Amino acid sequence: MNKNHRVPSSRSLNAVEVKSKFGAEFRRFSLERSKPGRFDEFYGLLQHVHRIPNVELLVGYADVHGDLLPINNDDNYHKAISTANPLLRLFLQRKEEADHGTFGTDSLTRKKNTVLSAVLLRPDHNKKKPPVIISLPKDFRPVSSIIDVDILPETHRRVRLYKHGQEKPLGFYIRDGSSVRVTPQGLEKVPGIFISRLVPGGLAESTGLLAVNDEVLEVNGIEVAGKSLDQVTDMMIANSHNLIITVKPANQRNNIVRSGVGGGGGAASGSSGRSSDSGASYYGYSSHSAAASIPPHIIQNFPVGELESDEDEEDLVIEAGGEAEPIRHVASNHSMSSLPRYEPHLNLRTATTPSPDRAMERGSLEEDGTVITL
Amino acid sequence: MLSLFKYLQTSQFLGGETLKQLMFMLTVEHGFPHQPSALAFDPKLQLMAIGTKSGAIKIYGAPGVEFTGLHNDTTAVTQIHFLPGQGRLLSLLDDNTIHLWELVAGPLREVGGVKKEGVVSLQEVNTYNLPGRPGIESCSATRVTVLLLLKSCDLLCVGTEGGGVYFLEVYRCGIMDNVCFHFPSLPDDYRCGKSLGPVEALQEHPQQSGKILIGYSRGLVVLWDLSIRHAEQLFLGKQQLESLVWERSGNLFVCSHNDGGYSVWAVTSGSTCNHQPVSSTIPYGPFPCKAISKILWRTTQAGSPVLLYSGGMPRASYGDRHCLTIQQDKDHVTLDFTSRVIDFFTVHSVDINPLSPPSAVVVLLEEELVVIDLQTPGWPSMPTPYLAPLHSSAITCSCHISSVPPKLWERLVNAGKAQQSRQHTHRSWPICGGKNLAPPPKQQELLLTGHEDGTVRFWDASGVALTPLYKLSTANVFHTDCDPSDDPQDPSNDPDMQQEEEEWPPFRKVGCFDPYSDDPRLGIQKISLCKYSNKLVVAGTAGQVIVLGLSDERSDHLVDVSVVDLLYDREGFTWKGHDRLEPRSKPAPFPPGFQPLVVVQCLPPASVTAVALHAEWNLIAFGTSHGFGLFDYHRRNAVLARCTLHPNDSLAMEGPLSRVKSLKKSLRQSFRRIRKSRVSGKKRTITTPTSKVRDSEQEEVAPVQRRIEPRSADDSLSGVVRCVCFADTFLRDGTHHGPTLWAGTNSGSVYAYALEVPGVGSGRVCERGGASESSVCVEAVLGKEIQLMHRAPVVSICVLDGRGKPLPDPYEASQDLAIAPDMTNAHSVLIASEEQLKVFSLPKVSAKTKFKLTAHEGCRVRKVAMVVFSSTAQEDYSEHTLVCLTNLGDMHLFSIPALRPQVRYDCIRKEDISGIASCVFTRNGQGFYLISPSEYERFSLSAKVLTEPLCFVQLDRPLEPTPTRSGHTHTHTHTHTHTHTHTHTHFFLLPFSPFFFFLLSLILPLHHSLFFL
């Protein structure tokens, strides 16, 4: 992995030096590189060596690029151990004191700078401009993801776009076209559906996972072969809140090379290998089973449990309670709050009821059983 | 255990009993065939045949007797000829092929549990291609212009464009004659190169069989004796010939000419060459006239013959009229039709007395069939029992009412009779062949069609023949552009009303096809009829909603008018569309039938998009593109007006007229483009080929792109109300049910209102105590608003009772006409959007089941109906099913309320948008959709309920097609068509063909045919 760096010494092959800093205190110890153990054991070890058994900690380490990265699960713990070269520098914080801006690119150097500037230069200026807060991955709302990598041929990509509650348009167009398939009779030209345009600033473009001339193979698990452009359009719009499209990228050079399959040959194994995904195609939101076994090198920045596809389909029901009033008065009071209206009560209403327009609020409404009482 | 039982029961029913037999079947076509092109009549069997430009052949006899056949190619049928009395006919197509059709006994059919024997259907038996003669003449030389079947029915004479007449033997293995005349003594005027020009007419001598009259386009007429193969006489006409007809005795014949005249020739033995006709007349002369395309000369016992001819109008003044003239003695009528005359024939009384006068003339026009009674003085027109011109004004909507109560039926029939008595003769229908074997309908069915001219027509849809019952006009409620003194009831259809024009020719308007609407705002958009209370709601293009009641008496009254402003609480909107219709301020006369009670006018006057009637509560609900309203027609007050417009929606304010404007604009642009291209086309002749290439590249159309974006709230026309409905259900809590109103919009919003109707939902009233006594008005309180997250248009809303069955119609439960709904268990509401079907529980609206049709199939829901399928085996078992018609033209059936998909059928071509848009379902699993502007296709999804023609025709010959024969015929035909393109060997095959069919071969040595006079 770190071939570009200097050849590791024999010592670093079996043991990792750890330098752990908590407040002003340092502790040094070493770990077996081949048997790092689990994160919770490591966490207990840290509490033990620092003698702070009941303090909740945030654990961070400096990686080879000098970034401060978190250690909070087995994966990144193992990553940290394996990349330690040879010293693993740890930074511990109390959880209640921790600011989430700690981790991230340049965080170490910036911290140094701020300390310096805070001491030497103009402290007021820096207090006004706190560093950009980057939250933990669980706080992010996913925008897009590549899913089902393990069951799809390398030439295909299944992309999930999360539209819910966003102002950003999906921002892409599709068109008719023809593609070449390998059949027992030889090459055959078959009609296909292709992405024809990406709207600048749209969701599709910003993810970087879709490109013009990518061939659309499936929409939410249903093959588009044999369907007309209008049918595919309707299917995509019907699924637009949680759109999963399987494409064959026009540019095959960025494909993920799966470790199991002989690397490099991915592009060659071509479209004939589609059988593996067609098994799961119908109603095939196979993301649950797939996500559980996703290899660690897959970008996966959202919890698996949120994959449930129907949560965004919840219709909004507004119940107009109260006694019978002449409707001419009622009509203006009990209007659909998700639709902005020309009403004088507009600000009044938003003050009393949470605007259900945004995704966050909608989520909370759903917990109450989909009915709101105005 | 219980669920298992349930499952078993359902699966048994679905798999074994109904659904296996449940099938999609096109049963019968109602209305007038689109683009008819040929007409024929069999006087022996009393059957009429009509051929169309799309290659269909339809045979009609007595009402209910119908046979349909379709050629394999959709080529225009140019001629049809019956083999009289045989139940066979020959059709000539535009591609120069002749087809033989035969009425054969169909396979045993089981209909409604009853086995039907002797049902006859029309089948194509044989096909003949007429090839061109290779090398000698161009193909057009053998292009058939006219066919004549001799009375003996064994010989077919074929006249061609090349001037040759061919004789085809119909029965025995045919050797045929080819007659090509060479008359050295003929003047050159009658020649067209070597030949004599196209054969225009062929007529057999009425008395002496074997003598035929051959008329050539250039005016030459030859009397030909078949037996001695000799031209007996020549008649040298001076004018281009159009048609020929014999006088019954055979002493005279009449020919009609291109110049609008006709001449009578005497056939006297002796003279071989006649130069002068007995008489020659140009009836509408002296100014230049158009051709008389067909002439009939019918002798009567009384003496003076009846002369019927089409065309012949003075070219300058009436050249654009479509006319048929009937002339006898001094009686002279010029029937003035609204569409082109295709063909006509006369019907004679059934006993075949040679001197019997014609009893009627049947005229096939491009858009309707007109029958004139020639035995009643004044020659009135006859109502047709079938071939109803559905499209006499364009159909804008339709509505089906099943099992109409007998009382309402009777009153409608009477109202209709009162309308017709002024117009028509009461003689029985002259075409009466065949026998209708279909069992009499178990129930009366009504089909209501709304038209562009503001009329609603009531059709008897119980049987195979769709017959008009009654016509309601809504135009007389309003002031329209047409003259107020003009009776808006029926301006064109009434012969009494015609002004007696002193002018020449004596025109008389006949027929009811009238495609021009006085005012497009009168157009009918939605219809709802309560068959128990005889209340009708009709809603139109200018936001008018008319409530009508049935009355047997004529009445003059003023109609109450209410205006409901759907934008009362919105500002900043101005309607740019058409004005509302101006109601009449004076009492107007209303004939017996449906008479208007109240008119509600929506503001802005946009077209009404949804309407619902609840006669038990005296309420109507209506929706437009701006909102919806609720009106109490009993107390005559508006209860509710609710705007559904999104503030950003500007398109909704445009109105249809501005869209017409933009259409005009686009038309103008396209004309400009055409003009441009013409100009550039001229230029292009000079430009170099390279620039041409560039031009074509520019013209290459950009590939079709589709934007993928979820629907948003501010999409245009999102406020259009797509459906409204009433239901007695639980909206506010689970213990008290009461009247509710539901409305769904284009943007997936559903509004549910709880209604306070005095005297209804007593539980609620008691609860409110004293307050209810003071409130005598209907009140509406918003109960729920549902926003479907996918925002697709709401196509239909239906409330299901505790058993998951749709609620019965108003009055059905209270009058014990249907099983009372289950009000003890929780209700649910089925909301069908274009993308999904979803069932929500009531009163707490939470989703129970759903089916995402679009996400799975890529199709969108266009029409939804609740249909009851009855079991064929168990008399009393039936099941409710949801039927969905999608934009791809396929039908999906779902169980209710589980929404489990059951079956799917391809029904309508997906390109046929108007067909899909016009589809209506009946309650019992049938349906109608327009296959052309003038024809409804009737289909059935039910095994039990089928309405299809079951007819029988008495023939001398056996009706069963023997399988060996047909098999042989087939193989032989195949050989024939296969070989003739290459060699002439097929000729030697002919003697071996043993059975009935006729064969033709045009490639015969000339030694048969050269004749010198």
Side-chain angles (χ1 to χ4, degrees):
Chain A
M1 295 249 169
N2 299 318
K3 277 171 190 160
N4 299 339
H5 298 267
R6 65 192 157 108
V7 179
S9 64
S10 62
R11 203 182 70 176
S12 68
L13 276 175
N14 42 34
V16 177
E17 278 181 54
V18 181
K19 183 183 173 189
S20 174
K21 181 174 179 268
F22 177 65
E25 289 183 57
F26 287 97
R27 295 286 186 280
R28 282 175 178 272
F29 57 97
S30 69
L31 285 169
E32 193 89 1
R33 190 187 288 271
S34 52
K35 279 186 276 175
R38 287 180 292 120
F39 168 70
D40 47 348
E41 293 168 2
F42 175 66
Y43 188 76
L45 179 67
L46 289 175
Q47 286 178 326
H48 176 72
V49 297
H50 282 281
R51 304 196 182 165
I52 39 167
N54 295 319
V55 178
E56 294 280 291
L57 292 174
L58 273 183
V59 187
Y61 76 102
D63 79 337
V64 286
H65 306 292
D67 294 339
L68 182 61
L69 298 178
I71 298 181
N72 47 19
N73 58 32
D74 286 354
D75 283 340
N76 50 23
Y77 169 54
H78 294 163
K79 176 83 177 170
I81 293 292
S82 62
T83 56
N85 199 15
L87 185 67
L88 177 65
R89 288 196 295 158
L90 294 180
F91 300 89
L92 308 185
Q93 280 180 291
R94 279 176 201 275
K95 217 164 212 176
E96 55 267 28
E97 290 171 0
D99 67 310
H100 292 292
T102 331
F103 302 118
T105 313
D106 292 337
S107 44
L108 280 184
T109 45
R110 194 180 60 222
K111 199 157 197 181
K112 276 176 193 160
N113 288 346
T114 47
V115 172
L116 270 179
S117 55
V119 176
L120 301 174
L121 298 167
R122 295 183 297 174
D124 285 343
H125 170 75
N126 282 289
K127 270 175 196 165
K128 272 183 195 164
K129 258 180 106 181
V132 180
I133 292 175
I134 302 172
S135 52
L136 291 170
K138 67 171 167 35
D139 297 331
F140 284 106
R141 189 173 55 236
V143 169
S144 65
S145 53
I146 301 183
I147 58 174
D148 295 354
V149 181
D150 54 334
I151 55 166
L152 283 177
E154 293 89 354
T155 48
H156 297 177
R157 183 185 296 164
R158 188 167 287 168
V159 177
R160 183 168 170 163
L161 300 173
Y162 299 81
K163 171 63 188 150
H164 44 209
Q166 287 206 66
E167 287 308 314
K168 233 179 204 179
L170 275 176
F172 68 99
Y173 290 71
I174 56 172
R175 63 163 170 89
D176 277 322
S178 60
S179 70
V180 179
R181 286 285 146 79
V182 185
T183 64
Q185 289 80 35
L187 291 180
E188 201 181 308
K189 243 189 174 182
V190 291
I193 304 288
F194 295 85
I195 292 174
S196 63
R197 206 184 126 194
L198 296 179
V199 177
L203 187 59
E205 192 220 28
S206 63
T207 63
L209 300 176
L210 298 172
V212 172
N213 293 331
D214 285 1
E215 183 181 359
V216 178
L217 302 171
E218 290 179 3
V219 176
N220 287 52
I222 293 163
E223 288 193 44
V224 303
K227 292 204 157 62
S228 70
L229 182 65
D230 288 332
Q231 271 176 287
V232 178
T233 307
D234 286 341
M235 285 166 70
M236 286 189 173
I237 291 175
N239 287 307
S240 57
H241 291 276
N242 175 34
L243 186 59
I244 301 169
I245 40 180
T246 310
V247 293
K248 186 183 168 192
N251 178 0
Q252 291 280 336
R253 273 174 297 177
N254 296 336
N255 291 339
I256 296 161
V257 178
R258 215 184 293 156
S259 47
V261 185
S269 67
S271 48
S272 54
R274 289 191 63 201
S275 57
S276 59
D277 71 82
S278 61
S281 67
Y282 196 63
Y283 300 84
Y285 308 120
S286 47
S287 31
H288 293 280
S289 55
S293 59
I294 275 177
H297 57 264
I298 303 303
I299 307 157
Q300 201 199 9
N301 54 358
F302 60 95
V304 174
E306 276 177 22
L307 271 172
E308 174 51 54
S309 63
D310 273 359
E311 38 95 29
D312 54 346
E313 288 282 328
E314 217 45 68
D315 304 309
L316 181 66
V317 179
I318 300 169
E319 190 159 306
E323 280 304 299
E325 286 172 63
I327 202 62
R328 282 176 191 270
H329 306 291
V330 180
S332 54
N333 286 331
H334 297 264
S335 54
M336 177 83 60
S337 45
S338 66
L339 299 174
R341 293 189 181 280
Y342 288 144
E343 279 160 20
H345 317 287
L346 191 72
N347 44 10
L348 188 145
R349 194 196 60 220
T350 44
T352 52
T353 59
S355 142
D357 215 2
R358 303 278 76 81
M360 295 295 283
E361 279 96 343
R362 194 167 69 235
S364 68
L365 290 176
E366 282 151 16
E367 285 161 23
D368 303 339
T370 75
V371 176
I372 328 152
T373 307
L374 286 178
Chain B
M1 199 55 208
L2 180 75
S3 66
L4 178 69
F5 172 66
K6 249 185 183 169
Y7 170 72
L8 277 179
Q9 197 187 25
T10 334
S11 66
Q12 222 168 21
F13 169 68
L14 296 179
E17 221 279 295
T18 314
L19 281 185
K20 216 177 223 176
Q21 294 172 34
L22 200 131
M23 56 206 157
F24 178 75
M25 217 175 106
L26 301 176
T27 50
V28 62
E29 288 156 18
H30 292 306
F32 186 77
H34 187 52
Q35 295 186 309
S37 53
L39 176 72
F41 182 62
D42 182 346
K44 282 190 187 156
L45 292 179
Q46 295 277 311
L47 293 174
M48 169 177 69
I50 292 176
T52 71
K53 279 191 182 161
S54 52
I57 288 193
K58 299 188 157 203
I59 299 181
Y60 299 89
V65 177
E66 280 187 41
F67 307 100
T68 307
L70 195 64
H71 288 96
N72 289 330
D73 296 323
T74 50
T75 316
V77 180
T78 50
Q79 286 181 45
I80 304 178
H81 295 272
F82 272 103
L83 281 67
Q86 296 189 4
R88 297 185 174 115
L89 59 86
L90 292 165
S91 62
L92 171 69
L93 299 194
D94 203 31
D95 60 1
N96 221 31
T97 56
I98 297 175
H99 302 255
L100 176 67
W101 295 79
E102 199 170 54
L103 291 175
V104 291
L108 275 187
R109 289 287 302 277
E110 203 174 339
V111 176
V114 187
K115 282 203 171 121
K116 286 281 162 197
E117 284 183 57
V119 172
V120 170
S121 62
L122 184 65
Q123 279 181 15
E124 188 175 341
V125 183
N126 226 332
T127 308
Y128 312 95
N129 288 300
L130 304 173
R133 293 170 73 180
I136 301 172
E137 276 161 312
S138 69
C139 284
S140 73
T142 51
R143 188 174 175 80
V144 179
T145 51
V146 62
L147 295 178
L148 169 69
L149 194 70
L150 295 192
K151 266 195 226 106
S152 51
C153 282
D154 54 357
L155 207 59
L156 180 73
C157 313
V158 180
T160 63
E161 210 145 87
V165 178
Y166 301 82
F167 295 94
L168 316 177
E169 295 221 10
V170 175
Y171 288 104
R172 279 167 288 118
C173 8
I175 297 210
M176 40 146 294
D177 284 329
N178 177 356
V179 183
C180 270
F181 300 101
H182 285 260
F183 305 108
S185 58
L186 266 185
D188 280 347
D189 290 354
Y190 298 109
R191 288 176 189 283
C192 182
K194 265 186 189 171
S195 73
L196 297 170
V199 179
E200 204 63 50
L202 288 168
Q203 289 296 333
E204 190 184 12
H205 196 287
Q207 305 296 332
Q208 302 161 10
S209 59
K211 281 189 182 177
I212 57 167
L213 212 50
I214 305 168
Y216 290 91
S217 156
R218 303 220 154 191
L220 171 73
V221 180
V222 178
L223 182 62
W224 178 258
D225 194 330
L226 265 178
S227 52
I228 56 168
R229 299 205 173 112
H230 181 72
E232 209 165 76
Q233 289 184 45
L234 288 183
F235 306 90
L236 303 173
K238 298 279 184 295
Q239 277 298 332
Q240 206 170 315
L241 189 87
E242 289 285 331
S243 79
L244 278 175
V245 66
W246 279 101
E247 192 263 339
R248 219 178 276 275
S249 64
N251 299 326
L252 294 173
F253 72 86
V254 184
C255 54
S256 71
H257 299 294
N258 190 33
D259 66 342
Y262 63 89
S263 39
V264 183
W265 296 79
V267 184
T268 47
S269 52
S271 61
T272 52
C273 200
N274 299 290
H275 290 274
Q276 279 300 325
V278 177
S279 68
S280 192
T281 326
I282 299 179
Y284 298 111
F287 298 110
C289 291
K290 295 191 89 173
I292 293 179
S293 53
K294 179 175 177 174
I295 190 161
L296 289 180
W297 176 284
R298 297 291 183 231
T299 4
T300 58
Q301 275 161 318
S304 47
V306 183
L307 192 61
L308 306 108
Y309 52 86
S310 58
M313 285 295 113
R315 190 175 289 276
S317 39
Y318 301 110
D320 56 341
R321 302 266 181 129
H322 310 287
C323 291
L324 179 87
T325 305
I326 310 174
Q327 235 177 303
Q328 183 180 28
D329 269 339
K330 281 172 189 153
D331 294 330
H332 185 132
V333 168
T334 310
L335 303 174
D336 185 5
F337 302 111
T338 47
S339 57
R340 200 163 57 86
V341 178
I342 305 291
D343 202 353
F344 59 98
F345 62 83
T346 55
V347 182
H348 300 257
S349 32
V350 189
D351 57 317
I352 307 169
N353 176 6
L355 282 178
S356 71
S359 60
V361 58
V362 178
V363 190
L364 178 67
L365 304 163
E366 198 156 40
E367 304 289 356
E368 61 187 313
L369 185 82
V370 170
V371 179
I372 304 290
D373 178 11
L374 294 178
Q375 285 178 322
T376 310
W379 297 329
S381 60
M382 260 185 195
T384 58
Y386 41 73
L387 289 169
L390 287 169
H391 61 316
S392 52
S393 169
I395 295 175
T396 45
C397 66
S398 48
C399 162
H400 182 271
I401 314 287
S402 54
S403 50
V404 178
K407 187 125 195 219
L408 169 63
W409 190 263
E410 192 186 319
R411 291 174 74 185
L412 277 176
V413 169
N414 288 337
K417 271 186 188 154
Q419 286 182 327
Q420 279 192 350
S421 61
R422 299 173 296 143
Q423 300 166 18
H424 294 296
T425 172
H426 292 292
R427 257 174 207 288
S428 59
W429 182 244
I431 301 164
C432 52
K435 210 172 115 193
N436 186 3
L437 297 179
K442 292 193 187 80
Q443 45 157 315
Q444 306 289 4
E445 287 179 43
L446 264 182
L447 182 70
L448 275 61
T449 53
H451 296 264
E452 203 180 24
D453 63 353
T455 57
V456 178
R457 283 160 216 243
F458 291 63
W459 306 90
D460 176 1
S462 330
V464 167
L466 191 73
T467 46
L469 278 182
Y470 165 71
K471 185 172 118 180
L472 164 74
S473 173
T474 60
N476 54 353
V477 180
F478 305 100
H479 278 297
T480 48
D481 293 339
C482 57
D483 186 10
S485 68
D486 198 10
D487 186 354
Q489 268 298 308
D490 210 0
S492 63
N493 207 3
D494 192 344
D496 298 347
M497 282 196 357
Q498 290 148 48
Q499 309 89 332
E500 282 301 319
E501 287 170 277
E502 289 301 311
E503 58 175 337
W504 180 258
F507 282 122
R508 188 171 110 194
K509 281 199 178 295
V510 182
C512 56
F513 178 71
D514 178 19
Y516 305 106
S517 171
D518 295 328
D519 190 335
R521 294 176 297 168
L522 290 171
I524 307 295
Q525 295 297 331
K526 294 285 163 193
I527 303 171
S528 180
L529 172 71
C530 173
K531 60 190 177 189
Y532 303 109
S533 63
N534 305 333
K535 290 280 187 299
L536 175 70
V537 176
V538 166
T541 308
Q544 75 271 32
V545 184
I546 308 168
V547 185
L548 303 106
L550 190 60
S551 164
D552 299 330
E553 301 299 323
R554 190 184 166 85
S555 157
D556 290 69
H557 63 265
L558 190 66
V559 182
D560 283 342
V561 178
S562 273
V563 174
V564 174
D565 185 1
L566 295 174
L567 293 181
Y568 70 95
D569 58 348
R570 297 293 179 92
E571 279 169 25
F573 284 117
T574 40
W575 169 249
K576 297 171 205 150
H578 51 226
D579 291 337
R580 70 183 175 113
L581 285 160
E582 191 189 330
R584 251 168 220 248
S585 48
K586 286 177 198 156
F590 297 104
F594 279 100
Q595 295 172 347
L597 304 173
V598 194
V599 175
V600 180
Q601 290 190 293
C602 299
L603 278 187
S607 177
V608 177
T609 53
V611 83
L613 164 70
H614 201 295
E616 217 170 342
W617 304 334
N618 296 315
L619 291 175
I620 53 164
F622 43 87
T624 70
S625 46
H626 304 97
F628 58 94
L630 179 65
F631 187 83
D632 178 354
Y633 61 79
H634 183 61
R635 296 174 188 84
R636 313 261 154 120
N637 69 316
V639 180
L640 167 70
R642 169 70 194 255
C643 181
T644 53
L645 268 194
H646 190 271
N648 297 354
D649 192 351
S650 57
L651 204 56
M653 303 314 294
E654 300 257 310
L657 289 185
S658 67
R659 247 165 272 154
V660 170
K661 260 181 225 156
S662 67
L663 177 72
K664 267 185 193 162
K665 197 178 164 193
S666 68
L667 274 179
R668 211 181 303 136
Q669 278 167 349
S670 63
F671 276 125
R672 267 185 206 148
R673 220 172 293 140
I674 290 168
R675 216 179 299 145
K676 239 186 216 169
S677 69
R678 269 190 201 142
V679 173
S680 60
K682 271 177 203 163
K683 272 182 193 162
R684 222 171 271 162
T685 53
I686 318 161
T687 52
T688 56
T690 49
S691 70
K692 248 188 209 170
V693 170
R694 201 174 296 150
D695 265 12
S696 64
E697 271 171 6
Q698 278 171 353
E699 278 165 25
E700 204 170 88
V701 208
V704 185
Q705 283 193 110
R706 292 280 183 276
R707 186 163 171 252
I708 308 299
E709 215 53 70
R711 293 185 174 83
S712 72
D714 52 351
D715 275 352
S716 61
L717 296 176
S718 62
V720 177
V721 175
R722 291 288 294 266
C723 57
V724 283
C725 77
F726 290 106
D728 182 3
T729 189
F730 303 90
L731 184 63
R732 286 192 279 204
D733 54 64
T735 48
H736 303 101
H737 64 89
T740 57
L741 166 69
W742 298 75
T745 72
N746 236 8
S747 58
S749 301
V750 175
Y751 305 85
Y753 282 82
L755 307 180
E756 298 284 341
V757 182
V760 183
S762 50
R764 196 95 194 153
V765 173
C766 292
E767 196 181 88
R768 289 178 49 120
S772 70
E773 285 153 33
S774 61
S775 71
V776 285
C777 286
V778 179
E779 284 173 11
V781 185
L782 182 68
K784 298 265 172 20
E785 289 189 11
I786 304 164
Q787 175 61 57
L788 302 176
M789 282 328 283
H790 59 287
R791 292 194 185 279
V794 179
V795 178
S796 157
I797 301 171
C798 178
V799 174
L800 308 174
D801 74 358
R803 288 183 296 259
K805 303 240 181 295
L807 295 181
D809 283 345
Y811 286 116
E812 269 187 348
S814 62
Q815 298 190 359
D816 286 336
L817 296 159
I819 304 160
D822 180 357
M823 305 305 272
T824 51
N825 293 310
H827 283 197
S828 48
V829 59
L830 190 155
I831 298 177
S833 77
E834 279 193 1
E835 290 184 354
Q836 294 185 6
L837 309 168
K838 217 163 182 177
V839 175
F840 296 89
S841 66
L842 284 177
K844 187 185 157 190
V845 180
S846 58
K848 280 167 79 183
T849 49
K850 71 175 159 190
F851 189 83
K852 294 158 87 175
L853 189 68
T854 308
H856 290 148
E857 311 275 340
C859 54
R860 276 197 243 170
V861 178
R862 283 282 174 267
K863 300 270 172 176
V864 170
M866 289 289 185
V867 166
V868 186
F869 287 113
S870 311
S871 156
T872 48
Q874 262 172 287
E875 194 57 44
D876 53 345
Y877 189 80
S878 61
E879 191 166 284
H880 289 269
T881 303
L882 180 81
V883 181
C884 265
L885 177 70
T886 70
N887 64 334
L888 302 180
D890 48 1
M891 264 173 222
H892 299 252
L893 271 62
F894 295 91
S895 66
I896 295 173
L899 295 183
R900 232 170 288 149
Q902 315 252 295
V903 233
R904 182 190 154 275
Y905 305 104
D906 290 320
C907 303
I908 311 176
R909 285 180 310 111
K910 67 176 176 188
E911 295 81 15
D912 187 2
I913 293 164
S914 65
I916 293 170
S918 64
C919 184
V920 282
F921 293 96
T922 76
R923 281 278 286 273
N924 52 23
Q926 297 195 68
F928 301 86
Y929 65 88
L930 287 173
I931 47 173
S932 72
S934 57
E935 278 170 294
Y936 273 110
E937 177 78 59
R938 189 182 190 122
F939 61 86
S940 179
L941 295 165
S942 161
K944 193 170 188 182
V945 191
L946 274 178
T947 307
E948 58 176 345
L950 299 168
C951 342
F952 176 69
V953 177
Q954 185 68 51
L955 296 174
D956 299 337
R957 63 175 172 87
L959 274 166
E960 289 75 31
T962 44
T964 49
R965 188 182 71 179
S966 63
H968 198 105
T969 312
H970 256 274
T971 48
H972 188 89
T973 322
H974 187 253
T975 339
H976 179 94
T977 50
H978 182 72
T979 48
H980 80 258
T981 48
H982 308 293
T983 62
H984 298 178
T985 51
H986 70 289
F987 186 65
F988 302 104
L989 289 170
L990 300 185
F992 303 109
S993 53
F995 293 109
F996 161 80
F997 47 176
F998 74 80
L999 291 161
L1000 44 124
S1001 158
L1002 298 174
I1003 311 99
L1004 263 181
L1006 276 173
H1007 65 258
H1008 268 293
S1009 53
L1010 283 183
F1011 253 90
F1012 294 94
L1013 193 80

